Amino acid sequence: MILSPFEWTIAKRYLLPGRGEAFIALVAGISIGVVMLSVAMLVIVMSVMNGFRAELLDKIVGLNGHAIVQAYGGRMDDWENILNEVRKTPGVVEASPLIEQPLMTTFNGRVEGILARGNTMEDIRKFQDKLVSGSLDPIQPGAGKVAIGVRLAENIGARVGDTITIINPQGRPTPFGTVPRQVGYEVAAIFEVGVYDYDGAFVIMPMQDAQTLLLLGDTVGMIEVKVADPDKVGDILEPVQRAVQGRAVVADWKTINATLFEALQVERVAMAFALSFMVLVAAFNILSSLVMLVRAKTRDIAIMRTMGATRQSLMKIFVTTGFTVGAIGTVAGLIFGFVVLFFRQGIVEIIGKVTGQNLWDPQVRFLTTLPSKTDPIEVAMIVLLALVLSFLATLYPAWKAASTDPVQVLRYE
């Protein structure tokens, strides 16, 4: 929509009302504020929801892969053959054996449930960038050294260099019954994954040590798999599922965490739908401010009509005025939203201190910090929604202005 110099001059005049029109300016300012807050709220909420899903998926997949091949009974005897078959499957980028078993640990009289994980040395080295203290170098097969999560270390009071005792209730049979197997391991490193449940339970050790602790011999419990496209993990591993049928089962990240990720998706859609009504409310604010402007400028409109202004020109003037209000609010909302996202963690901490409430409890939220991931496509859709609704809100007031009859208005002038 191209405006002539006359139309643009009048539109600018109406965008900046004079001193006697302070109330109209106030209503227009409120409209800009409502659009800004609605757009900012949509950007913030959708970015946080996306960040929560992406961060959670990254943390979970970083430890468990995109899928696991779980043996029936927890023992995979021919795991070498299955591992080679998985690695040859198109779309699989990484596969490695894994032992994972819930056990108990004790230190200085404190007892905690743990999840003992036996990894290959290559997988253990991947925890290097997650270390809080200690070193992974001493952790070698047969060395009796392990790495534990930072929350577990805090719960039992263990530090690097301390020796914790891991208890395997299966143990070995004796003349006096089955005695639980208790093995001492020195804490060589403490790591932080960022998922509260994992940091409070995981004990990482070489796979050979896990086999010895759990009396597994040369078997493993499962094979973890990473694929090129996580969203197509089921299709990629379908040949593996057929090959191991009757011996093992393939479970992907969607199945293992189905309840969690489905809940996140439902909440994300519901929040987007609910918050979209804020943009609709902002559009009604623009409509009401334009209606007031048209009523206040009825005499001016009539004079412009008598001077040769066409109905189309008046439509353009008031559509431009209202749409500009919406556009300014949208841009301000984007800026405000990105600023809030940049300082999100500090804002959460400040609100928590003021209210005395822990707004981001890792035990409830899984993650230790508030995540954020902005999707450019979603931001574009939010901007488009705000601009379209702003444009539609201008049509009725602009049509009313263009329909003004100068004869009726100026009859008694």
Side-chain angles (χ1 to χ4, degrees):
M1 184 172 61
I2 301 176
L3 273 68
S4 66
F6 160 73
E7 294 165 349
W8 181 239
T9 300
I10 300 299
K12 286 194 296 183
R13 174 68 181 81
Y14 289 165
L15 281 170
L16 301 171
R19 291 184 179 180
E21 301 162 339
F23 186 72
I24 296 176
L26 175 63
V27 174
I30 292 174
S31 299
I32 292 176
V34 174
V35 174
M36 179 189 74
L37 291 176
S38 61
V39 170
M41 188 63 67
L42 268 173
V43 170
I44 293 169
V45 171
M46 298 309 295
S47 296
V48 169
M49 295 296 295
N50 288 337
F52 194 88
R53 182 182 184 277
E55 191 76 8
L56 198 58
L57 177 60
D58 181 65
K59 301 289 187 183
I60 292 174
V61 169
L63 289 174
N64 298 321
H66 296 117
I68 58 171
V69 182
Q70 176 75 53
Y72 291 136
R75 290 174 179 257
M76 188 178 292
D77 297 323
D78 57 341
W79 63 270
E80 293 96 342
N81 295 331
I82 296 177
L83 180 62
N84 291 331
E85 194 168 333
V86 171
R87 286 175 173 171
K88 293 177 182 177
T89 303
V92 173
V93 297
E94 187 178 339
S96 57
L98 172 67
I99 296 173
E100 190 172 276
Q101 183 70 33
L103 299 175
M104 300 288 292
T105 187
T106 178
F107 178 74
N108 280 348
R110 298 180 181 179
V111 180
E112 287 286 337
I114 64 169
L115 201 59
R117 286 174 61 97
N119 288 107
T120 63
M121 294 307 301
E122 182 181 357
D123 288 339
I124 291 176
R125 296 292 174 256
K126 294 178 182 178
F127 284 82
Q128 186 65 45
D129 61 342
K130 299 178 176 64
L131 288 185
V132 174
S133 60
S135 172
L136 296 175
D137 294 334
I139 301 178
Q140 299 291 335
K145 299 180 186 294
V146 297
I148 67 176
V150 64
R151 308 300 172 201
L152 176 60
E154 293 172 356
N155 292 340
I156 63 177
R159 296 177 294 180
V160 173
D162 292 336
T163 299
I164 63 174
T165 301
I166 297 180
I167 304 170
N168 178 10
Q170 290 183 347
R172 292 183 181 275
T174 68
F176 304 99
T178 301
V179 177
R181 183 176 176 80
Q182 302 184 38
V183 182
Y185 293 93
E186 181 182 337
V187 177
I190 297 175
F191 60 86
E192 183 174 15
V193 176
V195 179
Y196 189 90
D197 289 355
Y198 293 169
D199 291 332
F202 276 1
V203 175
I204 308 298
M205 63 180 66
M207 190 171 65
Q208 295 87 339
D209 290 0
Q211 289 173 332
T212 302
L213 172 65
L214 298 172
L215 307 174
L216 293 177
D218 191 35
T219 65
V220 301
M222 63 190 75
I223 294 173
E224 64 174 355
V225 185
K226 291 185 179 180
V227 298
D229 188 350
D231 292 325
K232 298 181 179 178
V233 60
D235 296 333
I236 293 174
L237 295 181
E238 187 176 354
V240 176
Q241 177 68 72
R242 291 196 301 266
V244 301
Q245 192 170 7
R247 295 177 295 165
V249 60
V250 177
D252 57 43
W253 66 270
K254 297 179 182 178
T255 303
I256 298 172
N257 306 283
T259 303
L260 175 61
F261 285 103
E262 284 180 8
L264 284 176
Q265 183 65 19
V266 170
E267 184 178 2
R268 177 172 171 271
V269 173
M271 291 295 289
F273 179 76
L275 291 175
S276 295
F277 281 96
M278 289 186 63
V279 183
L280 185 60
V281 171
F284 278 115
N285 271 273
I286 294 175
L287 188 148
S288 62
S289 65
L290 269 185
V291 168
M292 293 179 62
L293 180 64
V294 169
R295 289 183 63 86
K297 299 296 182 181
T298 301
R299 184 171 178 274
D300 294 358
I301 294 169
I303 293 174
M304 285 188 287
R305 289 283 286 122
T306 60
M307 295 176 65
T310 63
R311 294 177 182 273
Q312 185 179 9
S313 293
L314 293 174
M315 283 283 292
K316 288 182 180 180
I317 289 170
F318 285 96
V319 166
T320 301
T321 302
F323 184 77
T324 303
V325 169
I328 293 174
T330 301
V331 173
L334 289 177
I335 296 173
F336 181 63
F338 289 140
V339 169
V340 171
L341 288 174
F342 184 79
F343 295 104
R344 63 188 182 280
Q345 195 61 38
I347 293 173
V348 169
E349 294 173 0
I350 291 173
I351 295 175
K353 290 180 181 179
V354 172
T355 60
Q357 301 292 325
N358 186 2
L359 299 181
W360 192 261
D361 187 355
Q363 299 183 58
V364 178
R365 310 290 184 180
F366 293 99
L367 303 179
T368 54
T369 58
L370 179 65
S372 172
K373 182 181 179 182
T374 303
D375 185 349
I377 296 178
E378 284 188 351
V379 172
M381 293 298 294
I382 293 170
V383 171
L384 183 62
L385 175 66
L387 295 180
V388 168
L389 289 179
S390 298
F391 174 76
L392 293 177
T394 66
L395 295 181
Y396 175 73
W399 175 78
K400 288 292 291 183
S403 301
T404 300
D405 185 356
V407 175
Q408 295 295 329
V409 175
L410 300 177
R411 175 180 295 177
Y412 303 105
E413 293 293 331

